Amino acid sequence: MPSSEAVAPRRRSPAPRAWLPALGLLVGVLAVLGLYVLLPNTGPADENGSASGLSAPASFRVAPYGGKPRPDREKNLLVSYDRGVPRGVGNESTLTMDVSGSSGVLRLKGYSTSCSGTDHKVVCRVGEAYDSWTDGARVLPRAAPTSKPGDKGELHITFRNANGEVSRATTRIAVGGPVLALREQDPLRMESGKRHAAALDVRNTGELPADGFTVTATVDGAMGPVRRSRSCDYVSHRGATVVTCRFPGLRIEPGEEAHVPNWLVLRGSRTQMGSFFRATVELLGSGADNGGLDGSSRSTSGPSPSGTPRAGAGPALAPQVHAAPSKGAKYSEEKEVWTTVRIANHPDYVLVSDLSAADGDGRHLRVGLRNNGPGRPSGGSATLVLTLPEGTDVHKEPMEEIDTDTFDPVCRHQGLTYTCPLRTAVPGESYTLDFEVRGSKSVGSGKAKAALRIGDMEEDHADLDATNNSRTFDLFGPVPDEAESDAGTNVGVGVAGALGGCVVLAVAGVLVRRKLRRR
């Protein structure tokens, strides 16, 4: 018979687990990664990446050597470095600009004593935060004497901060190129409530052909577009309409212009007297083919209108390309070109005055203008000329605050003639000034004269009834006294009392009828 020891089960020793070596390896890897994260990063950052802190445009254009300068909006190359350090801290970082690999196309020019080097490579000592727009240390690329329009090169930018961290970026540089300019227009004149077609002229003032462009106009709500082309998108934005029209593949050679006769068809307001629209033009495409206007430069970036663009359904616009006139036309290469619009609506300005008693025998005079419409001025000016009678003492005159607790007179005067600027009021409103005067014993006739001088009296904006723009009145004549005011108050009280008595009698009558019915 077997012994009990032979049949009793023995406890098995634990076998080694297969996943333990893998766990140890994972912990080791994580420890190495953690150590790497904690150590300062001395390797180069991603080129042109925002994580590196270094920012530079992907492309830029420079003027041909000895040729026509680029527009002001394309003259500044924006290079910046920002890792959260306050500006102006330290001077141990270096900015290196290098065009050595494109020496046949590009040169460099430094603008600070903190920069040194050659016309191929420049090193500048800068702070921990850098911005080429505000920092004194600036370096700009230039075209080399051996270059020609259309040549391309590269600018290599390196920023090393005080901790040894290195960031790099590359900007592609093109020599010359197309430059689009908008033709400036004289103020447009529109009839009230009528349609008006505005033309568009875009000229290529550069050295190379332009293949397609886009033009954007912001049109004031007083004359919103009434015809919408399928060549354009329309967005309502803050009471205005933003119109963006694209003309892809339209080639404009240097010295030529594209003409669109019916680009904007507007309708004039029936009340607004003046308005405007502003326009900007850019090449289609991106990068070097877009003249450097890729949104990386502060001089060209702008807020995009909010809202959903709606494409027009009307006929497409058909630009006509021809040689630009050599004389009699003015073009602008600025980012925005403003066009003033005059709409033929007329105001009716009326001189208004109000005279009341002041302390003692003084008078309080309120005088100015009222606009009876329908014309609603968007600018312009008006002037009040007030002549007070001889012997008048002016105790108070209109004042304006020019600084905190600092005031100057609104009007200038010569003797007793006051000339005061007025704001042109909107229809139904007035704009007045206050005077307080006293009459001496030597006061003359007591007659004061007031007249309005309207700044804009051209035919399309003239005040059609100027007979009510002046007035003569007795400055020290009778004014409503307190007795008349009290009488008016007593009359009101008497009427109120009578009405209250009627109400009481009516209520009493109702109660009597109810008692009789109950009987």
Side-chain angles (χ1 to χ4, degrees), residues 294-344:
D294 57 2
S296 299
S297 172
R298 289 183 191 164
S299 62
T300 60
S301 62
S304 300
S306 59
T308 303
R310 299 183 180 276
L317 300 177
Q320 305 161 3
V321 178
H322 54 76
S326 57
K327 295 181 181 180
K330 186 178 180 182
Y331 297 84
S332 174
E333 296 174 353
E334 296 297 323
K335 181 187 177 185
E336 291 185 333
V337 175
W338 293 69
T339 300
T340 302
V341 179
R342 293 177 63 92
I343 307 175

Side-chain angles (χ1 to χ4, degrees), residues 354-358 360 362-364 474-482 484:
D354 180 68
L355 197 62
S356 60
R363 296 290 186 269
H364 178 261
D474 189 352
L475 185 60
F476 297 104
V479 294
D481 56 20
E482 294 182 0
E484 293 176 350

Side-chain angles (χ1 to χ4, degrees), residues 228 233-237 242 305-311:
R228 305 199 168 196
D233 290 335
Y234 302 82
V235 179
S236 296
H237 182 62
V242 180
S306 59
T308 303
R310 299 183 180 276

Side-chain angles (χ1 to χ4, degrees), residues 33-53:
L33 288 176
L35 180 63
Y36 177 80
V37 171
L38 294 175
L39 290 174
N41 181 16
T42 57
D46 293 338
E47 192 163 296
N48 287 48
S50 59
S52 71

Side-chain angles (χ1 to χ4, degrees), residues 31 38 67 126 146 186-187 202 205-206 292 297 367 395 444 454 472 502 511 516:
L38 294 175
V126 296
T146 55
D186 295 331
V202 178
T205 62
S297 172
V367 60
H395 280 224
I454 308 302
T472 300
C502 291
L511 293 175
L516 291 175

Side-chain angles (χ1 to χ4, degrees), residues 370-389:
R370 183 177 70 248
N371 181 8
N372 288 338
R376 180 188 181 96
S378 57
S381 62
T383 303
L384 168 70
V385 180
L386 174 65
T387 302
L388 302 174

